[in-house]
Amino acid sequence: MIHLEEIHRIYDTAAAPVHALRGVNLRILPGEFVAVMGASGSGKSTLMNLLGCLDRPTRGRYRLDDADVAELSPDAVAAVRNRTIGFVFQGFNLLHRATALENVELPMLYATPTLRGDEARSRARVALGRVGLEARADHTPSELSGGQQQRVAIARALVLDPKLLLADEPTGNLDTRTSIEIMGLFQQLNAQGATIVMVTHELDVARFAQRIVVMRDGRIVADRALDRPADPVAELARLPDEAEAETA
Amino acid sequence: MYRFLALFRDALRALRRNVLRTLLTMLGVIIGVAAVIAMVAIGGGASDQVKLQVDSLGENLVIVMAGGAQVGAGVLGGAGTAGTLTVADAEAIRREVPGVRHVSPEARSAAQVAAGNENCSTQVLGVGVEYPALRNWPLAGGEFFGAAAERAAARVAVLGRTVARALFGDGDPIGAVVRIDGVPFTVIGVLAAKGANMMGQDQDDAVLVPYTAALRRLLGQTNLRMINVGAESAAAMGPVQREIAALLRQRHRLPAGREDDFTIRTQEELAAFAGSTTRIMAGLLGAIAGVSLLVGGIGIMNIMLVSVTERTREIGLRLALGARRRDILRQFLIEAALLSAAGGVVGVAAGLGISRVAAWVLNWPAAAPVSVVAGAVVFSAGVGVFFGFYPARRAARMDPIEALRRE
Ligand SMILES: Nc1ncnc2c1ncn2[C@@H]1O[C@H](COP(=O)(O)OP(=O)(O)OP(=O)(O)O)[C@@H](O)[C@H]1O
Ligand SMILES: [Mg+2]
């Protein structure tokens, strides 16, 4: 699915060039669920932007589905972003004047072949349902909590059933329970065939993946498979009951 | 369709974001389109009106005015002041020029007309018995004077509608005595309303008396201001014009090489002259329209550039979600087109309003054809697309990650 060879990314800033990625080699097979961890500033988001075809490496080769991304036409890249990849941004990036439902519909505006209006709307509703937000479909982002906004962003990434789901800190603003529920959703999508790459700071969240990649200073310093990913049902059961917590 | 509706919705949302700014941006287009519509409506009404007025002059009319042609002289005003035409000239034309059906001498002067306590200043026209036939000007009541009254220089008057109103209100003036510059005349008829002439003068603001009476009793002179001649047919007008010219040159003993001391105008020439003034007016309005559409277009370009800059993040997001460059291009073009088409619609409304008012003030029928109205709206949308293209292309060429990072 993904094949990175000696990827470098150097940001040209006014002060001095920042070498954010220093030779990353990574292979991800179809159907994998990978968690990317690492300290702040280690290059995780930079890597995700490259994987999402939003940015181009300064050096190195990125092959996606056996195609060299550097050689794709702009329209082909747009189609990849639209249909192949679902991207959850670290900062959500929602349209502030549009409702949650309209935000989730957004990728479908650019889908080929075109969808019918009612079809797009019902798909958007289903996607909102999967993140537990049907009731908030007609609210604008400013009327939603941070966690709810994050879930709208996840719904938007899911709505076109991407083969590759890229999520930059998808649970950064969520409580433990909701985080586990979202991980359950990711595992479910993964079981249905989606490849998932997820950035997270929390080992508790990373445990739901099958493989954990650790970055430091723009390089991959550890890469190991998990024998037994965490089970969301069991994890939820282990959470202290809220009612109990209140009486305690 | 869905995609288009969504684009449309997003464009409306973007324009609603800052209503005042949107309105100010539309102003240039509004003014331009309003000018176009007003131009077409008033200009069209004017040329209809000119045609009507030229026809209302009478049929196959050839007008002989005293005095030579002066550059820029009014058609019915400037010429005709020199005292070179006489009653004998008029009679000679009737006698000797073939193809002539009617002849009416005409003398004119401003005068005070009084009846009882009412009085008004108006034009006294001394004309011949054939004048109503020549000018296609029927009577509303009473009768016109006949040959006997003309011969006797009888003190009889036929009132124009405006004068009749001013002196008698809704009452019946026939049989009443009016004093023209102090000289009593008996009213024997009232003319039907004729409206304004090409120069915008009210033709009904006049009193008609026999030219003999006008010359002898009011003006105290023998010179005519003009001679109205009715040709037998439209085809006869050219020959009649040439024959009259030859006859008058001979009668006035003008040596070859000397300019005419009279001016002959046919109805067609008057129509062409009147048409040229309306064309100039239309051209002026057209220039205003063009300039303000240009300014409006630049305003749209400016505001679209601002909008593209403000919405950089949104553009980045759309690109990241799979929008192609042409999708972004289209989005901003639709927005610009919507902006200026809305300006076009408001401009059409304003233009129609203006032409209504102008029609009322000028007493002209003014109406813009539906095709022009539709064309103006489509054209203004086109202005938006044209001037929106550069900003839209700028948006479409953005790099998604750069755009998303921008604040
Ligand atoms: N647009 C940019 N211009 C210049 N430097 C940048 C830019 N984006 C990131 N960097 C730098 O590149 C390095 C990697 O940044 P990146 O955003 O990939 O880190 P991260 O691992 O995602 O961190 P975090 O966990 O805080 O999100 C950092 O040193 C950062 O300062
Ligand atoms: Mg990051």
Side-chain angles (χ1 to χ4, degrees), chain A residues 28-231:
Chain A
I28 296 173
L29 299 174
E32 278 196 278
F33 183 176
V34 181
V36 178
M37 300 192 70
S40 180
S42 56
K44 305 181 297 292
S45 293
T46 304
L47 178 67
M48 293 298 270
N49 290 340
L50 289 173
L51 291 180
C53 299
L54 303 177
D55 200 2
R56 288 177 182 249
T58 312
R59 278 206 304 280
R61 201 147 73 120
Y62 172 21
R63 295 172 72 80
L64 176 64
D65 268 347
D66 294 327
D68 190 335
V69 171
E71 285 165 8
L72 293 177
S73 70
D75 277 7
V77 172
V80 167
R81 289 176 193 145
N82 186 245
R83 296 235 76 147
T84 311
I85 297 173
F87 204 106
V88 183
F89 299 91
Q90 192 168 10
F92 321 151
N93 285 322
L94 300 176
L95 290 182
H96 289 281
R97 274 170 302 281
T99 63
L101 190 70
E102 286 165 350
N103 267 292
V104 177
E105 280 180 47
L106 202 54
M108 292 187 280
L109 275 186
Y110 304 117
T112 37
T114 44
L115 283 90
R116 288 213 326 275
D118 49 353
E119 195 187 335
R121 195 136 310 143
S122 70
R123 284 188 84 131
R125 279 195 193 283
V126 169
L128 277 177
R130 288 175 112 172
V131 296
L133 272 183
E134 296 126 308
R136 290 280 186 275
D138 297 321
H139 290 242
T140 60
S142 56
E143 297 161 352
L144 297 174
S145 73
Q148 287 169 334
Q149 290 180 38
Q150 187 148 35
R151 283 187 277 162
V152 173
I154 294 170
R156 186 179 60 194
L158 299 182
V159 75
L160 278 171
D161 293 329
K163 279 206 302 194
L164 174 60
L165 180 63
L166 301 173
D168 198 347
E169 305 242 16
T171 59
N173 290 269
L174 301 181
D175 58 278
T176 315
R177 174 175 294 274
T178 318
S179 296
I180 296 171
E181 281 168 2
I182 292 295
M183 286 307 106
L185 175 61
F186 277 25
Q187 282 191 352
Q188 193 186 322
L189 293 167
N190 181 235
Q192 288 163 7
T195 309
I196 300 178
V197 181
M198 165 184 81
V199 169
T200 182
H201 276 123
E202 294 165 76
L203 193 57
D204 274 347
V205 173
R207 285 187 308 120
F208 288 91
Q210 300 158 351
R211 177 180 167 192
I212 297 180
V213 171
V214 182
M215 296 189 67
R216 190 189 304 144
D217 295 334
R219 288 194 186 89
I220 292 177
V221 293
D223 185 349
R224 65 187 151 84
L226 290 186
D227 302 334
R228 225 159 37 82
D231 175 13

Side-chain angles (χ1 to χ4, degrees), chain B residues 91-108:
Chain B
E91 261 141 31
I93 289 169
R94 188 198 303 281
R95 243 184 359 255
E96 293 175 30
V97 177
V100 166
R101 180 180 288 162
H102 298 294
V103 175
S104 167
E106 182 173 330
R108 233 181 233 248

Side-chain angles (χ1 to χ4, degrees), chain B residues 11-388:
Chain B
L12 274 181
R13 186 176 279 149
L15 294 177
R16 271 212 311 267
R17 211 168 129 180
N18 194 333
V19 177
L20 181 64
R21 187 169 87 184
T22 301
L23 284 177
L24 288 175
T25 306
M26 289 185 338
L27 206 56
V29 176
I30 291 176
I31 293 172
V33 170
V36 171
I37 294 294
M39 169 187 86
V40 170
I42 298 172
S47 59
D48 285 355
Q49 190 68 3
V50 164
K51 217 175 287 158
L52 220 74
Q53 284 162 346
V54 169
D55 290 344
S56 86
L57 277 178
E59 255 177 272
N60 309 324
L61 192 66
V62 177
I63 297 170
V64 185
M65 287 169 280
Q70 293 146 287
V71 180
V75 177
L76 295 172
T81 45
T84 52
L85 286 179
T86 61
V87 176
D89 287 334
E91 261 141 31
I93 289 169
R94 188 198 303 281
R95 243 184 359 255
E96 293 175 30
V97 177
V100 166
R101 180 180 288 162
H102 298 294
V103 175
S104 167
E106 182 173 330
R108 233 181 233 248
S109 91
Q112 281 289 324
V113 181
N117 291 328
E118 304 294 334
N119 86 80
C120 65
S121 52
T122 182
Q123 285 253 329
V124 174
L125 267 57
V127 297
V129 287
E130 291 162 74
Y131 191 75
L134 258 169
R135 294 291 316 274
N136 241 335
W137 201 347
L139 289 164
E143 57 185 10
F144 207 73
F145 50 81
E150 185 183 293
R151 263 197 310 281
R155 292 196 306 260
V156 291
V158 177
L159 304 184
R161 183 57 157 272
T162 305
V163 176
R165 276 268 160 76
L167 298 180
F168 299 96
D170 290 329
D172 183 9
I174 290 165
V177 170
V178 295
R179 307 180 74 83
I180 303 176
D181 281 348
V183 182
F185 280 71
T186 305
V187 177
I188 57 169
V190 176
L191 289 159
K194 204 167 176 71
N197 70 6
M198 282 173 282
M199 317 327 270
Q201 292 161 337
D202 178 10
Q203 300 179 86
D204 299 318
D205 188 7
V207 176
L208 271 52
V209 301
Y211 71 91
T212 43
L215 291 177
R216 201 177 308 161
R217 303 186 194 281
L218 297 173
L219 299 174
Q221 62 179 51
T222 54
N223 294 323
L224 296 176
R225 184 170 179 120
M226 58 177 83
I227 301 169
N228 300 294
V229 179
E232 275 172 354
S233 64
M237 285 170 80
V240 164
Q241 183 179 10
R242 280 191 297 279
E243 293 269 352
I244 292 174
L247 176 68
L248 290 182
R249 283 192 71 86
Q250 176 206 330
R251 285 182 57 82
H252 295 181
R253 298 182 211 288
L254 297 177
R258 177 89 66 82
E259 280 182 24
D260 292 346
D261 60 356
F262 53 88
T263 308
I264 305 180
R265 289 269 180 270
T266 63
Q267 214 164 339
E268 272 90 20
E269 288 169 344
L270 293 174
F273 177 82
S276 73
T277 45
T278 52
R279 267 198 302 282
I280 289 169
M281 203 173 86
L284 272 175
L285 272 165
I288 293 173
V291 168
S292 49
L293 279 177
L294 181 73
V295 171
I298 292 170
I300 284 172
M301 177 143 86
N302 180 36
I303 229 62
M304 290 307 295
L305 281 172
V306 171
S307 176
V308 166
T309 307
E310 279 178 354
R311 283 150 68 199
T312 302
R313 275 178 70 88
E314 176 192 327
I315 295 163
L317 174 66
R318 288 175 186 270
L319 287 169
L321 294 179
R324 291 158 304 176
R325 286 183 175 171
R326 61 173 167 281
D327 292 319
I328 301 295
L329 189 76
R330 191 180 313 163
Q331 179 187 347
F332 281 91
L333 285 183
I334 285 179
E335 200 173 309
L338 203 64
L339 186 65
S340 58
V345 169
V346 177
V348 163
L352 290 178
I354 291 169
S355 48
R356 271 275 166 85
V357 172
W360 182 69
V361 170
L362 299 172
N363 202 14
W364 270 349
V370 177
S371 61
V372 171
V373 168
V377 174
V378 171
F379 183 77
S380 54
V383 166
V385 170
F386 183 81
F387 285 97

